[in-house]
Amino acid sequence: MLSDDEFSEIIISGAGPAGITTSLFLSLKKIKHTLIEKEQFPRDKICGDALSGKVLNILKKLDNSFVNELYNNNEIYNPSKGIIFVSPDFTKVEIPFKLNYISSDEAPGFVAKRLNFDNFLFNKINQNYCHVYQNCTLTNVEKTNSGILADIKHNGISFKKKCKVIVACDGANSIISRKLANYKIDHHHYSAGIRAYFSNVKNLNPEGYIELIYLKEYLPGYFWIFPLPNGNANVGVGMLSQNVIEKKIDLKKMFENTLKFNPKIAPRFESAIQQTSFQGWGLPLASKKMKISGNNFLLCGDAASLIDPFTGEGVASAMLSGKLAAETIEEAMEKDDFSATILRKYDLKYFKTTQAETRISTILQKLIRNEKLFNFVLKRISKNNELKNVLTLMFADVNLRKKFLNPLFYFKLFFKN
Ligand SMILES: Cc1cc2nc3c(=O)[nH]c(=O)nc-3n(C[C@H](O)[C@H](O)[C@H](O)COP(=O)(O)OP(=O)(O)OC[C@H]3O[C@@H](n4cnc5c(N)ncnc54)[C@H](O)[C@@H]3O)c2cc1C
């Protein structure tokens, strides 16, 4: 049973990237707290496992040695130097994450199985400031006059716990989002994803480029191949839930058919060995903004629907939200005020940091539903090195990415040779 002390004033539910990052930043601030997790580590999370430079930047803010440790662990960390975009007509564009690599440069992105990456993060938890309980499930939450009353089941025993603030890091099916923020799935802003691990996939990029293959039948979702250490790969598909429902699609079947029969994909899987079954999970997308705090609660990561609607990237936003949640809790503690008015600063900070990028991703996700336009744009880019360089710079610099919002960018794209 959880102790009844200052640690339990702040409860984080869920030890994914959002929950652990919240905990690590609270510990840096010497703020005591409790983290509960329904599984036992090491635990898996269904994901594409592609992690961008934004993840590394947050790790660096926590402790530079974390990043060095990852770089030196080639059993779990596979460096990735860029992205390969493939349009429905199979036009291919390779965009490095950085211009003019020199051999000593660290790769800006990486691919790591979440089983390993999350366990790596879990082992960094500072138990001087964090009481961690595994096999510990939040089963219900309710708002009371003085804070939050949480129903918890730990190793089969149920009990109630009061806290001043609860941080929802309990993922796509967050009980806290549903109960306290009245969250309901909107299938226009939600994706379904399936992945499996393979070995022996042909033509994996030697520099770890991740492949986003926008097959017509999945638009605006895509088929992916993300290279892992030891020649393995995370292979999967993502598709907007609304399309899955409207077209009555059996996504698993469609994925299997792609692997077996797509003339460009199947040959790469001829001698591939499937190491795991097809497993699926939901992706709550940031294309629909929601309130991510309220009286005595904060929502982070998937519980706050923060996944990039164009790329499906959610680990970086989960970690960023965890960092900002910890900063907001510090402020609220100083004032001993966990009301919605104070915690709202978290919404403001988070959306100020990410709104330009989310807007661009939402626009791109809408644009690529038009298959012909997508083919045309990728053809233009494939023939224009200057444009490829601009796209590379855009990966590195969010401010440059704002060019996507400028009509002049599209004029140059369509009309300039
Ligand atoms: C198929 C697929 C592919 C994806 N590919 C990528 C990718 O390549 N790159 C990327 O960046 N993102 C990707 N994402 C998104 C990414 O997986 C999520 O955005 C990310 O895991 C969110 O982190 P989180 O900490 O918010 O939630 P999670 O990682 O889901 O962690 C939630 C934690 O809470 C625990 N929990 C849940 N309920 C309770 C409860 N009631 N009580 C206690 N604990 C609880 C869970 O066990 C889990 O440990 C993908 C998602 C899917 C489904």
Side-chain angles (χ1 to χ4, degrees):
M1 198 148 135
L2 271 67
S3 59
D4 232 342
D5 54 19
E6 55 193 315
F7 282 89
S8 59
E9 289 185 347
I10 302 164
I11 294 180
I12 304 167
S13 176
I20 300 177
T21 307
T22 310
S23 165
L24 293 174
F25 277 102
L26 285 174
S27 296
L28 276 185
K29 298 170 191 303
K30 301 188 175 14
I31 297 174
K32 292 180 177 159
H33 58 281
T34 291
L35 174 59
I36 62 170
E37 164 58 47
K38 73 177 167 66
E39 307 285 339
Q40 172 84 37
F41 274 81
R43 66 97 182 90
D44 202 4
K45 158 73 178 83
I46 297 155
C47 186
D49 304 331
L51 304 169
S52 72
K54 288 184 265 181
V55 169
L56 293 171
N57 286 341
I58 293 177
L59 287 177
K60 280 180 195 159
K61 289 198 172 103
L62 283 163
D63 188 332
N64 233 349
S65 73
F66 293 176
V67 175
N68 293 331
E69 208 182 308
L70 268 179
Y71 287 157
N72 292 322
N73 190 339
N74 51 21
E75 279 303 303
I76 72 168
Y77 164 89
N78 198 48
S80 172
K81 292 195 167 176
I83 301 194
I84 300 170
F85 289 102
V86 181
S87 61
D89 67 357
F90 274 87
T91 304
K92 187 169 156 181
V93 173
E94 296 188 11
I95 308 285
F97 289 133
K98 195 175 161 192
L99 290 182
N100 310 320
Y101 274 110
I102 50 169
S103 57
S104 58
D105 280 348
E106 292 299 350
F110 64 109
V111 185
K113 284 187 180 178
R114 289 287 301 279
L115 179 78
N116 299 322
F117 179 69
D118 288 19
N119 199 43
F120 166 85
L121 286 180
F122 186 78
N123 286 323
K124 302 295 173 211
I125 289 172
N126 183 339
Q127 304 215 3
N128 291 326
Y129 298 102
C130 177
H131 283 169
V132 194
Y133 298 87
Q134 301 185 66
N135 300 314
C136 190
T137 307
L138 180 79
T139 55
N140 198 15
V141 271
E142 63 186 273
K143 173 80 188 84
T144 63
N145 286 339
S146 55
I148 298 289
L149 189 63
D151 288 4
I152 294 172
K153 195 169 183 179
H154 186 210
N155 291 329
I157 300 167
S158 299
F159 54 91
K160 289 185 188 289
K161 194 98 230 149
K162 278 192 252 165
C163 64
K164 286 187 177 172
V165 64
I166 192 153
V167 192
C169 301
D170 46 352
N173 298 327
S174 169
I175 192 167
I176 305 170
S177 298
R178 280 181 280 127
K179 293 274 173 168
L180 299 181
N182 209 14
Y183 171 76
K184 287 184 184 66
I185 290 186
D186 179 340
H187 294 288
H188 293 278
H189 302 276
Y190 200 91
S191 275
I194 297 186
R195 70 99 166 95
Y197 290 113
F198 285 84
S199 59
N200 272 354
V201 179
K202 283 185 195 151
N203 301 330
L204 290 182
N205 183 280
E207 297 202 288
Y209 276 50
I210 59 171
E211 295 180 56
L212 273 47
I213 304 172
Y214 288 85
L215 301 173
K216 180 180 163 186
E217 57 272 33
Y218 296 98
L219 288 180
Y222 58 85
F223 172 92
W224 73 76
I225 302 177
F226 296 163
L228 279 159
N230 306 316
N232 296 321
N234 179 320
V235 180
V237 290
M239 192 173 186
L240 208 58
S241 297
Q242 186 62 24
N243 293 350
V244 175
I245 295 165
E246 262 171 23
K247 296 176 185 163
K248 298 193 173 63
I249 284 169
D250 177 343
L251 195 55
K252 185 175 157 245
K253 192 87 215 133
M254 196 155 127
F255 182 25
E256 267 175 328
N257 285 342
T258 302
L259 293 168
K260 276 191 200 147
F261 304 119
N262 184 295
K264 300 272 187 184
I265 307 275
R268 296 181 64 184
F269 285 84
E270 262 166 7
S271 45
I273 298 161
Q274 188 172 339
Q275 299 167 325
T276 58
S277 61
F278 296 112
Q279 290 178 295
W281 196 250
L283 293 91
L285 305 176
S287 43
K288 184 175 177 182
K289 188 173 161 184
M290 65 184 277
K291 248 177 103 214
I292 56 174
S293 67
N295 284 314
N296 307 88
F297 73 88
L298 295 160
L299 312 178
C300 297
D302 283 6
S305 297
L306 302 182
I307 295 182
D308 185 296
F310 179 56
T311 62
E313 182 184 7
V315 174
S317 47
M319 294 177 73
L320 173 67
S321 61
K323 175 179 180 288
L324 299 178
E327 287 171 12
T328 311
I329 289 172
E330 183 183 35
E331 251 186 275
M333 283 192 65
E334 277 160 17
K335 298 187 168 77
D336 195 23
D337 181 354
F338 291 91
S339 66
T341 321
I342 296 292
L343 297 186
R344 212 181 113 64
K345 288 185 183 165
Y346 165 66
D347 297 50
L348 298 177
K349 266 196 214 166
Y350 182 84
F351 290 120
K352 191 170 172 229
T353 316
T354 58
Q355 70 186 0
E357 207 177 343
T358 306
R359 223 178 118 211
I360 293 157
S361 288
T362 306
I363 292 171
L364 288 175
Q365 193 235 44
K366 288 208 170 98
L367 280 180
I368 63 170
R369 292 171 202 212
N370 184 330
E371 183 196 338
K372 287 199 177 113
L373 179 69
F374 193 12
N375 288 334
F376 173 74
V377 168
L378 231 67
K379 272 217 169 66
R380 296 289 300 188
I381 298 171
S382 70
K383 289 179 187 150
N384 186 330
N385 282 335
E386 197 192 326
L387 255 176
K388 280 193 219 166
N389 291 347
V390 171
L391 288 173
T392 295
L393 293 171
M394 282 176 170
F395 273 116
D397 187 337
V398 177
N399 285 324
L400 271 176
R401 241 173 273 170
K402 288 181 188 155
K403 279 191 178 190
F404 276 125
L405 298 174
N406 184 345
L408 207 59
F409 174 79
Y410 296 95
F411 181 78
K412 283 186 191 157
L413 180 67
F414 293 134
F415 301 113
K416 217 182 127 196
N417 281 323

